[in-house]
Amino acid sequence: ATKAGFVRTGPHMWRVNCRPEHLIDAARKSRDKLGVDQIGLWQLHRIDGRVPRDEQFGAIRQLLDEGVIRHAGLSEVSVAEIKAASKVFPVATVQNAYNLMDRGSDDVVDHCTANGIGFIPYYPLGDGSLARAGGALDRLAKSRGATAGQVALAWLLRRSPVMLPIPGTSKVAHLEENVAASAIVLSDEEFASLERRR
């Protein structure tokens, strides 16, 4: 999977650029750099308020029609924007900030669940605070022989069957810990207790 829609203009400096010609060129360059015939999943970083939305969606439709990308997704969007995009191309995924404490996209998760659209929460562990010992999840985690981060990920997986968390890590041990969270199945009572903490 890869994305387009941001342009790096300097160190730690990014700006949105979703002009159709840029999106198409960026996707083709990504495909070539990845050394693949087709990008499996390509996502629009943001909807650019300076470019008509339908032009951005039309560029995505073109990339699908040309076979540059196999599936297309959106990032940081509302339900209304997903519905608008769905009139132009099949939305495969949505990637919004979402975790146990940041529930601003609850309606988006519900929409994705109802429509079979993969939901990729970024910052699934928040700023890391959800994984810290002594935090709100720690007691439940200890009772399950797990870490707080694993319980936070287990909550996401229980929240919706279309949930695809992608917690970032730079260490193999953290990767293994995160993957092990998929084996934790929260009970109805545990899930409800976490829902009340938000």
Side-chain angles (χ1 to χ4, degrees), residues 4-187:
F6 278 160
V7 178
R8 188 171 184 172
T9 57
H12 310 292
M13 296 171 60
W14 297 88
R15 68 177 177 82
V16 177
N17 178 358
C18 294
R19 292 188 326 272
E21 62 274 14
H22 172 73
L23 294 177
I24 292 166
D25 183 57
R28 289 176 178 160
K29 285 180 179 174
S30 289
R31 178 194 57 190
D32 295 344
K33 285 181 183 178
L34 291 168
V36 295
D37 294 328
Q38 184 179 60
I39 296 170
L41 173 63
W42 180 94
Q43 297 181 116
L44 183 67
H45 262 295
R46 300 285 185 279
I47 293 176
D48 188 340
R50 298 169 300 143
V51 178
R53 188 170 67 183
D54 287 345
E55 290 182 18
Q56 296 168 69
F57 297 160
I60 297 168
R61 177 77 260 173
Q62 181 178 335
L63 290 167
L64 288 162
D65 290 345
E66 291 177 358
V68 175
I69 62 176
R70 183 172 180 193
H71 299 288
L74 302 168
S75 296
E76 284 303 301
V77 288
S78 67
V79 170
E81 290 167 329
I82 298 167
K83 288 179 177 179
S86 295
K87 293 177 182 174
V88 181
F89 65 91
V91 177
T93 58
V94 169
Q95 185 172 7
N96 284 9
Y98 189 75
N99 58 61
L100 181 60
M101 302 309 287
D102 179 356
R103 305 283 298 278
S105 287
D106 267 338
D107 62 332
V108 174
V109 173
D110 293 340
H111 178 79
C112 288
T113 302
N115 291 279
I117 298 169
F119 185 86
I120 305 171
Y122 72 83
Y123 291 135
L125 300 175
D127 60 1
S129 59
L130 291 174
R132 287 193 191 112
L137 303 177
D138 204 33
R139 183 178 300 146
L140 175 56
K142 286 179 179 170
S143 74
R144 295 296 303 261
T147 67
Q150 286 175 320
V151 171
L153 292 172
W155 176 85
L156 284 168
L157 294 170
R158 169 76 191 266
R159 172 68 176 83
S160 171
V162 300
M163 193 70 66
L164 303 164
I166 52 167
T169 184
S170 60
K171 296 181 170 73
V172 172
H174 287 160
L175 173 64
E176 291 170 347
E177 179 181 307
N178 291 337
V179 170
S182 65
I184 299 170
V185 179
L186 298 175
S187 69

